[in-house]
């Protein structure tokens, strides 16, 4: 066999060997190229999950201030006893490290743990059930990315019979409707996005809807405002025309209040300040505007059963009015103005301020007693605040100045009594 014959026979084998070697070289290269792409995609999901967890304000319940994020055990006082939020870090023994994405979605969607027990409704599953599977998976991916913390969750401290989870079956029958958010095709994309955030992750109705003795609220009274149990703050109505409703607010004023913490119509304090600080300030302009569009569209409710200005207590107004006016001139006028017009946006107006004249006087009493600052936010990093007067003014003096504010300049609130002030003097300030 000559050399040419040998080459003709060897050449195909050589080519095959070369092609095989080339394939072996190309395959790892393709795999290596795909790995960064997969990592980037996963990181994108984690970042979206972080954003959605902020929209849901998960940190507020699952993190004790000053402790490691999501390590749980923050106390949540209720009329039925104290609940403790669980550890939701990816620790395998004390957190959610053994959970799957299915477990997490089922918990959000049904209000049941992976072990099957019913969750207490301090966990806002009645709102979170509206969250889509894709968003749930993103939140779970983010929670899996935070540092694991080995910390057992505390047992709840509920009085009998509320420590019997079987009773939750009745509560769920009355107040829980399972199901993801379904867009309203007659509304805009923006409106639906706002509805999804407000009704779902934002769980705004938990505070802004009246809560009954069973710890439940009806859909018919959604967003009509109510006293937040155990916190001694009043969450005003978000409907169009009741008390401090948003019907006549400019859209930008709603956006500013939610995202910045202050606006030309008001300032957030108390529990709402924490929501803005932990959650709303981090949302995109588009999402906050969508929430504002939805909130402004909420229908009007029936309003208070009676005008507080016609309250029988108003007969005693002259006894407190002059004293309150004197205290106001000394203590309040420098910031809020002699005629209550305020200095926008940092010192809110008190004249014709709907939140001042609500049927409940809890908020203005607490502000005079405890003072406070709106939250420092990205759009308002150095907020102006109000000093407390609990140490300087007695119950009668605070009742007088709050009465003056609630009845001057066209405000139509009812007078405040020293007893009301005294009952709030010991309210927890957190």
């Amino acid at each position: 066999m000559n050399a040419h014959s040998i080459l003709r026979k060897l050449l195909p084998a050589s080519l095959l060997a070369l092609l095989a070697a080339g394939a072996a070289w190309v395959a790892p290269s393709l795999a290596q190229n795909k790995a960064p792409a997969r990592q980037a995609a996963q990181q994108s999901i984690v970042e979206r999950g972080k954003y959605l967890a902020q929209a849901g304000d998960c940190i507020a319940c699952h993190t004790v201030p000053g402790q490691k994020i999501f390590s749980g055990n923050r106390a949540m006082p209720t009329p039925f006893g104290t609940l403790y939020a669980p550890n939701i870090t990816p620790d395998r023994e004390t957190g959610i490290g053994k959970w799957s994405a299915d477990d997490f979605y089922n918990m959000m969607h049904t209000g049941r743990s992976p072990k099957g027990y019913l969750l207490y409704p301090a966990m806002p599953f009645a709102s979170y059930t509206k969250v889509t599977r894709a968003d749930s998976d993103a939140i779970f991916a983010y929670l899996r990315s935070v540092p694991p913390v080995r910390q057992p969750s505390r047992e709840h401290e509920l009085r009998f019979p509320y420590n019997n989870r079987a009773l939750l079956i009745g509560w769920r029958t009355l107040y829980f409707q399972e199901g993801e958010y379904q867009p309203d095709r007659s509304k805009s994309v923006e409106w639906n996005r706002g509805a999804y955030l407000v009704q779902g992750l934002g769980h705004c109705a938990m505070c802004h809807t009246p809560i009954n003795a069973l710890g439940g609220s009806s859909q018919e009274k959604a967003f009509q405002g109510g006293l937040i149990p155990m916190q001694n703050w009043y969450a005003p109505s978000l409907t169009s025309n009741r008390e401090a409703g948003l019907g006549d607010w400019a859209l930008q004023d709603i956006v500013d209040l939610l995202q910045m913490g202050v606006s030309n119509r008001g300032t957030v304090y108390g529990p709402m300040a924490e929501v803005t600080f932990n959650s709303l300030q981090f949302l995109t302009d588009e999402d906050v505007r969508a929430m504002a569009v939805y909130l402004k569209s909420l229908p009007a409710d029936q309003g208070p059963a009676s005008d507080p200005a016609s309250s029988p207590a108003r007969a005693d107004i002259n006894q407190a009015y002059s004293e309150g006016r004197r205290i106001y001139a000394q203590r309040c006028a420098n910031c809020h103005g002699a005629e209550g017009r305020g200095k926008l946006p940092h010192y809110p107006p008190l004249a014709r301020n709907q939140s001042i004249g609500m049927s409940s006087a809890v908020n203005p009493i607490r502000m005079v007693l405890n003072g406070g600052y709106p939250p420092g936010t990205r759009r308002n990093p150095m907020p102006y605040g109000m000093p407390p007067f609990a140490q300087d003014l007695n119950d009668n003096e605070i009742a007088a100045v709050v009465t003056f504010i609630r009845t001057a300049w066209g405000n139509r609130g009812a007078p405040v009594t020293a007893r009301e002030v005294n009952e709030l003097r010991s309210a927890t300030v957190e």
Side-chain angles (χ1 to χ4, degrees):
M1 184 179 293
N2 59 33
H4 291 290
S5 299
I6 294 173
L7 283 173
R8 282 196 297 269
K9 290 184 177 182
L10 292 177
L11 186 59
S14 301
L15 284 173
L16 288 172
L18 286 171
L19 289 172
W25 177 80
V26 170
S29 299
L30 290 174
Q32 290 171 1
N33 288 336
K34 288 180 179 179
R38 285 196 299 268
Q39 291 173 359
Q42 180 62 24
Q43 184 59 35
S44 176
I45 293 173
V46 169
E47 288 299 318
R48 175 162 178 75
K50 179 179 180 180
Y51 177 84
L52 294 167
Q54 288 174 325
D57 199 11
C58 305
I59 194 173
C61 292
H62 291 279
T63 307
V64 175
Q67 300 299 312
K68 293 181 179 179
I69 191 169
F70 301 137
S71 57
N73 288 342
R74 185 166 185 176
M76 293 183 287
T78 77
F80 316 107
T82 302
L83 297 167
Y84 294 93
N87 179 347
I88 56 171
T89 72
D91 180 71
R92 291 185 60 81
E93 300 304 321
T94 63
I96 62 171
K98 294 180 180 178
W99 289 27
S100 66
D102 287 341
D103 291 334
F104 187 77
Y105 175 74
N106 288 334
M107 179 276 297
M108 294 273 282
H109 193 65
T110 68
R112 292 177 180 270
S113 78
K115 294 181 179 179
Y117 61 76
L118 301 176
L119 301 183
Y120 286 98
M123 161 62 179
F125 59 83
S127 297
Y128 288 170
T129 188
K130 298 180 183 294
V131 175
T132 65
R133 178 61 193 257
D135 282 355
S136 173
D137 286 352
I139 296 170
F140 182 67
Y142 165 61
L143 294 177
R144 297 273 295 184
S145 75
V146 304
V149 178
R150 182 64 59 90
Q151 176 164 276
S153 299
R154 289 186 60 172
E155 293 291 329
H156 300 317
E157 298 171 357
L158 297 175
R159 299 189 307 276
F160 179 82
Y162 308 111
N163 56 357
N164 182 357
R165 288 182 186 268
L167 295 178
L168 293 172
I169 297 173
W171 188 95
R172 291 164 65 95
T173 301
L174 292 171
Y175 304 115
F176 176 53
Q177 183 175 351
E178 181 181 317
E180 289 186 12
Y181 176 77
Q182 299 300 316
D184 184 338
R185 303 299 179 187
S186 69
K187 302 292 186 179
S188 68
V189 171
E190 183 178 48
W191 186 96
N192 275 290
R193 176 62 177 172
Y196 174 70
L197 290 169
V198 170
Q199 295 178 21
L201 284 171
H203 57 281
C204 306
M206 279 196 73
C207 290
H208 291 276
T209 300
I211 298 175
N212 60 31
L214 296 177
S217 54
S218 66
Q219 184 62 35
E220 291 75 17
K221 295 184 178 181
F223 303 112
Q224 293 185 15
L227 189 68
I228 304 175
M230 310 303 292
Q231 293 193 36
N232 293 297
W233 286 97
Y234 188 87
S237 171
L238 301 179
T239 62
S240 292
N241 70 345
R242 178 187 168 101
E243 297 189 329
L246 302 175
D248 64 348
W249 282 46
L251 200 64
Q252 189 59 46
D253 287 336
I254 302 175
V255 170
D256 288 344
L257 188 74
L258 296 176
Q259 192 177 50
M260 188 162 59
V262 298
S263 77
N264 290 338
R265 294 297 299 266
T267 301
V268 297
Y269 292 106
M272 190 62 195
E274 187 175 11
V275 173
T276 296
F277 180 76
N278 288 328
S279 174
L280 297 176
Q281 68 161 318
F282 299 109
L283 301 194
T284 63
D285 294 346
E286 293 77 13
D287 274 352
V288 177
R289 178 182 168 83
M291 293 176 71
V293 166
Y294 170 72
L295 290 171
K296 192 168 171 58
S297 77
L298 290 174
D301 58 30
Q302 297 179 353
S306 61
D307 183 354
S310 65
S311 167
R314 199 172 179 84
D316 300 326
I317 187 172
N318 292 332
Q319 299 177 21
Y321 189 91
S322 59
E323 174 69 0
R325 179 168 58 184
R326 180 188 65 79
I327 296 171
Y328 180 87
Q330 292 179 343
R331 306 277 187 165
C332 316
N334 188 50
C335 293
H336 293 286
E339 299 301 319
R341 295 192 180 97
K343 297 175 184 178
L344 299 175
H346 299 295
Y347 302 121
L350 303 179
R352 298 190 180 278
N353 185 322
Q354 290 170 289
S355 65
I356 297 296
M358 291 190 295
S359 56
S360 171
V362 165
N363 292 357
I365 292 173
R366 291 207 63 177
M367 284 306 303
V368 175
L369 277 170
N370 309 130
Y373 278 78
T377 59
R378 295 189 292 185
R379 290 183 56 196
N380 185 34
M382 299 182 66
Y384 291 75
M386 177 173 168
F389 292 98
Q391 305 303 316
D392 299 327
L393 302 177
N394 62 37
D395 294 345
N396 287 316
E397 290 170 324
I398 291 177
V401 72
V402 175
T403 293
F404 171 75
I405 293 168
R406 281 167 58 82
T407 57
W409 316 304
N411 291 339
R412 297 184 62 79
V416 171
T417 66
R419 180 178 179 179
E420 291 176 273
V421 175
N422 185 260
E423 288 174 349
L424 290 170
R425 215 173 246 284
S426 60
T428 301
V429 179
E430 184 174 319

